[in-house]
Amino acid sequence: MRNLKKVLAVILTVAMLASFMVPAFAAVSYLEEAKKLQAIGLFAGGEADLKLDEDVTRIQGLTFAIRAAGKEEEALAMTDEEVAAELAKFKDSDTVPSWNGNGPKYVAYAIKNGITVGDGQGNFKPLDKISGRAFLVFLLKTGMGYKDVTTLTAPDVAVEAGILTPSMAVIYAQAEDGIIRDDAAAILFGAATNGVNADGKTFIQALIDAGFVDAQTAIENGFVNVTELSVIGISATSAKTFLVKFNRAVTDDDKVTFDVKRGSTAATLT
């Protein structure tokens, strides 16, 4: 009996240690998804820059959302005068990190376009951890057109927009102490894969139409599902040749023909 008790005690100890260890190994779950987001430009840098186990600050979350919406160029084009005028609306604007002069532009862009109203006390708190709800608000407002979304409604809107499953929405709604970069990848991947903007267009298609995301790259990384072969671009490579880009890889089952009539100035591709 004593031996049995000792065995049970060891089992319980191992089980408890295992329960403590699981979160450490399970903290990062979206590495492959993050790589795909990098491939289409929604995450910057290479794999070494992902750092998915690190916390996300409010200004980082805002930057993720602005970049994912294809608005980064627009934000960075703001003049110093415009930036100063917008930042003057917050009392803690001097705490916004420089980031080679870009940090203030991200925040100023968000203020100008109604993406953020701060903490309600006249502060943006750029270096505080960002909650799951706040990150969803930034994404939904910046790139998806849900202008009236709030931290209260963001999880439900994210489910309706196809970004999150109901179970994921519950998790991020409760993430008041902050999310990590892995969480940001999960949310952005959901938006790029299934998200639908307020105007009914898919999030990824809107980015493709705006020229921010390359259609073929999006297809290759699984963000756009296609079955029917079609031409997405034709460009001349010389006086006698031209390059044809298709919406997906051509297979042996596809039939591609060119109809060129002598003396004509156009060719028909089917």
Side-chain angles (χ1 to χ4, degrees):
M1 180 65 71
R2 289 181 180 178
N3 289 336
L4 178 59
K5 288 182 178 180
K6 288 181 180 180
V7 172
L8 290 174
V10 171
I11 293 174
L12 286 173
T13 301
V14 172
M16 290 177 65
L17 288 173
S19 68
F20 293 141
M21 292 168 64
V22 168
F25 291 109
V28 173
S29 304
Y30 292 91
L31 175 59
E32 294 307 314
E33 288 82 354
K35 290 179 183 178
K36 291 181 179 181
L37 290 170
Q38 278 188 327
I40 62 172
L42 299 197
F43 259 28
E47 184 175 345
D49 300 306
L50 289 174
K51 301 176 182 177
L52 297 180
D53 59 342
E54 292 187 1
D55 292 328
V56 180
T57 63
R58 283 176 54 79
I59 188 171
Q60 288 172 338
L62 181 63
T63 303
F64 280 142
I66 291 174
R67 181 174 293 126
K71 305 291 186 181
E72 184 172 41
E73 186 175 340
E74 186 178 334
L76 298 183
M78 292 183 69
T79 66
D80 292 340
E81 292 75 15
E82 289 176 311
V83 171
E86 295 300 332
L87 291 183
K89 299 174 183 179
F90 280 152
K91 295 183 292 185
D92 65 344
S93 58
D94 59 334
T95 65
V96 176
S98 173
W99 290 355
N100 295 320
N102 292 336
K105 292 185 177 183
Y106 290 120
V107 178
Y109 180 84
I111 300 171
K112 178 181 178 180
N113 290 279
I115 299 167
T116 181
V117 294
D119 66 350
Q121 304 297 320
N123 300 298
F124 177 66
K125 296 185 176 181
L127 301 180
D128 281 11
K129 294 180 182 179
I130 190 170
S131 69
R133 288 176 179 270
F135 184 74
L136 287 171
V137 168
F138 287 165
L139 176 62
L140 287 163
K141 279 190 171 184
T142 308
M144 304 187 73
Y146 294 94
K147 299 300 183 183
D148 297 326
V149 69
T150 65
T151 52
L152 182 64
T153 62
D156 289 336
V157 175
V159 173
E160 294 172 4
I163 300 172
L164 301 176
T165 63
S167 59
M168 291 176 71
V170 170
I171 292 173
Y172 293 123
Q174 297 174 346
E176 295 298 328
D177 293 333
I179 61 174
I180 61 175
R181 292 168 69 93
D182 191 63
D183 298 317
I187 294 170
L188 291 178
F189 188 79
T193 305
N194 302 306
V196 178
N197 292 350
D199 62 3
K201 180 179 290 188
T202 63
F203 178 63
I204 191 66
Q205 190 60 52
L207 293 177
I208 292 172
D209 291 346
F212 181 70
V213 171
D214 176 71
Q216 186 60 37
T217 305
I219 293 168
E220 292 171 356
N221 285 275
F223 292 106
V224 178
N225 295 319
V226 294
T227 54
E228 184 177 349
L229 187 69
S230 62
V231 177
I232 60 174
I234 301 178
S235 59
T237 56
S238 72
K240 296 182 179 181
T241 63
F242 57 92
L243 175 68
V244 179
K245 292 186 69 175
F246 296 96
N247 63 332
R248 61 171 172 79
V250 179
T251 69
D252 292 337
D253 295 328
D254 294 313
K255 183 179 180 180
V256 180
T257 60
F258 292 87
D259 182 13
V260 184
K261 295 181 179 179
R262 184 176 297 276
S264 68
T265 58
T268 300
L269 175 68
T270 59

